[in-house]
Amino acid sequence: MRTVRYFVFAAIGLGLIVGIYLFSQTSQQPSPPSAAVGPTTPELRVAPPVPPAPPAVVAVNTVPGMPPVIDPNNLYSEIGAGKISPVTSGALERIYVPHVRSGDVYVIDPATFKVIDKFKVGPNPQHVIPSWDLKTLWVAASSEGGQMGRLTPIDPTTGKPGEPVKLRDAYNMYYTPDGKSAIVVAEALKQLDFRDAKTMELQHTISTPNCPGINHADFAIDGSYVIFTCEFSGGLIKIDLTSGRSVGFLKLSKGGMPQDIRISPDGKVFFVADMHADGIFVIDGETFKEIGFVETGVGTHGLYPSRDGKKLYVSNRGSNMVGGPPKGKGSIAVVDFATRTVDKVWPIPGGGSPDMGNVSADGKTLWLSGRFDNVVYAIDTTTGEVKIIPVGREPHGLTVWPQPGRYSLGHTGNMR
């Protein structure tokens, strides 16, 4: 009996040893290919890659009193078609055209493309400027020929002028981002006169002796500084609006007659039109350095963003001279903000001199003065087709009103 038990236990032990050996050998064999896996074998699945998170939108820390930047990637987001401020309710839809030589303002009905009114404002009217609060249009007149400068208000609900404010010079006008001060560009005096935005009482002056021909400007995305062009010294001047002093002068590499200036939608660079260089310089605003150039056409002059903030309309005046001939090689270049390249060029049929203006509220028409041809151009922003309207002598900085936007930084409608 004891012998039987011994053999039983021995057999069991031997079986266990063999089982362990076979199991160890099986576990060391490579896995069979997936094609040999039976239908009951679970399918192996690889998780799809997780897409990267979109970059965080960092809010812009603006200067006190400045309205917030709604979209830091597109500071023109609030000038889109249809974004008309309630403040402009009741404003007549009109195009106001100042004439340097005939000393008057023509009024065009954009629905009919016809001149429906005109009124005298005195010598040398240069630009029609929407006020920061969008309630008044101001006609800035310079002191050329020994005349006094003046600012003539227009009531946009009637289209009629009021009593002018006389001052030494007023070639152009801008507004501080907080809306408290009008910046009157006294080009003839090489200075900027900061005045109360409502009463036009003088607050203080910034002298700019190294910037002869100071005329056009645009502001940093946060409102901390402004860059002005210096037409007769071939450069730019940067002014800190917090300290109220000049913090730099930049001489452009070529050309030598900078005109209009406009900031990019993301606020990182400024585009500067140069009438001698026949194109636009690209300027890094923070470092205040020239970083690029885009050729656009003869006599590059005015810059206007499209209503969606994707394109920049560039007016090429057709001449490199301050007083050019009529029927020049005038054209409009359409520049893509993102790629900084020219998408297309629309020549003025028969030649012309497109100068200053702005885009219609719906974004469908670019209105520009024909400086040396005594006309106004209405340019279809889809096809480039041009309508030509005869006006007075030497039309200049016309404005379209009303325009979308929450407030105006000046010029012919630098809206934000």
Side-chain angles (χ1 to χ4, degrees):
M1 190 67 179
R2 185 176 298 172
T3 303
V4 173
R5 289 178 180 174
Y6 173 81
F7 281 111
V8 170
F9 285 122
I12 292 173
L14 180 61
L16 288 173
I17 292 171
V18 171
I20 292 170
Y21 173 79
L22 292 175
F23 176 80
S24 65
Q25 292 299 308
T26 302
S27 64
Q28 293 176 13
Q29 296 297 317
S31 299
S34 59
V37 176
T40 58
T41 303
E43 182 181 356
L44 297 177
R45 297 181 182 273
V46 179
V50 179
V57 176
V58 180
V60 177
N61 186 23
T62 60
V63 296
M66 174 181 166
V69 177
I70 303 301
D71 182 357
N73 295 318
N74 180 19
L75 55 79
Y76 299 122
S77 66
E78 303 312 296
I79 69 165
K83 291 192 173 184
I84 298 291
S85 169
V87 175
T88 64
S89 176
L92 301 173
E93 293 186 9
R94 298 289 185 263
I95 313 298
Y96 296 91
V97 188
H99 300 93
V100 180
R101 296 299 165 219
S102 51
D104 51 19
V105 172
Y106 278 27
V107 184
I108 296 174
D109 182 346
T112 63
F113 299 95
K114 293 182 178 179
V115 175
I116 59 172
D117 195 9
K118 63 183 74 174
F119 47 82
K120 286 285 185 181
V121 291
N124 309 316
Q126 303 285 353
H127 301 91
V128 179
I129 301 145
S131 63
W132 188 92
D133 62 9
L134 313 181
K135 295 179 180 180
T136 306
L137 302 175
W138 291 95
V139 185
S142 60
S143 58
E144 294 178 19
Q147 303 288 336
M148 282 288 290
R150 67 187 58 75
L151 292 168
T152 303
I154 298 175
D155 182 343
T157 64
T158 64
K160 300 297 183 181
E163 279 297 313
V165 178
K166 294 183 178 180
L167 33 77
R168 292 181 66 189
D169 189 42
Y171 175 80
N172 207 345
M173 186 163 69
Y174 291 85
Y175 289 88
T176 54
D178 61 7
K180 293 181 179 180
S181 301
I183 307 174
V184 177
V185 183
E187 179 187 37
L189 307 175
K190 299 179 186 177
Q191 67 187 38
L192 301 172
D193 293 335
F194 286 68
R195 295 177 175 272
D196 184 280
K198 296 187 181 300
T199 67
M200 291 299 163
E201 289 293 321
L202 184 64
Q203 297 170 330
H204 65 277
T205 293
I206 297 178
S207 180
T208 59
N210 62 334
C211 186
I214 188 168
N215 49 33
H216 301 103
D218 207 355
F219 298 76
I221 190 171
D222 62 359
S224 61
Y225 64 86
V226 59
I227 298 176
F228 275 87
T229 59
C230 309
E231 182 174 0
F232 303 130
S233 63
L236 311 171
I237 188 170
K238 182 177 180 179
I239 295 172
D240 184 295
L241 291 173
T242 303
S243 64
R245 62 185 182 86
S246 170
V247 292
F249 179 83
L250 173 64
K251 180 75 173 178
L252 297 174
S253 63
K254 60 180 179 178
M257 190 171 278
Q259 304 293 316
D260 205 2
I261 177 173
R262 195 55 61 105
I263 194 172
S264 62
D266 60 9
K268 294 181 179 178
V269 300
F270 291 77
F271 296 91
V272 179
D274 193 295
M275 205 162 71
H276 281 181
D278 296 336
I280 50 179
F281 290 96
V282 184
I283 308 298
D284 185 302
E286 291 300 318
T287 63
F288 204 38
K289 293 181 179 179
E290 180 184 321
I291 60 173
F293 181 79
V294 182
E295 186 175 342
T296 60
V298 179
T300 309
H301 197 78
L303 305 174
Y304 308 97
S306 60
R307 289 286 165 218
D308 60 6
K310 294 181 179 180
K311 307 295 182 183
L312 182 66
Y313 301 117
V314 182
S315 65
N316 303 305
R317 205 156 72 172
S319 172
N320 303 118
M321 298 183 291
V322 174
K327 304 297 182 182
K329 296 180 180 179
S331 66
I332 308 301
V334 183
V335 173
D336 184 272
F337 268 127
T339 64
R340 301 176 192 171
T341 58
V342 176
D343 277 353
K344 61 193 78 173
V345 176
W346 298 320
I348 300 297
S353 51
D355 191 275
M356 288 282 171
N358 220 309
V359 183
S360 62
D362 61 9
K364 296 180 179 180
T365 307
L366 174 63
W367 290 87
L368 296 171
S369 58
R371 185 72 177 267
F372 309 135
D373 293 87
N374 299 331
V375 297
V376 162
Y377 306 113
I379 302 160
D380 187 299
T381 57
T382 300
T383 66
E385 180 183 354
V386 181
K387 287 184 172 66
I388 298 177
I389 305 163
V391 290
R393 294 175 56 202
E394 200 172 330
H396 193 193
L398 69 79
T399 199
V400 178
W401 201 252
Q403 291 181 45
R406 299 167 296 163
Y407 62 101
S408 164
L409 288 172
H411 193 38
T412 60
N414 187 339
M415 309 294 288
R416 298 280 178 90

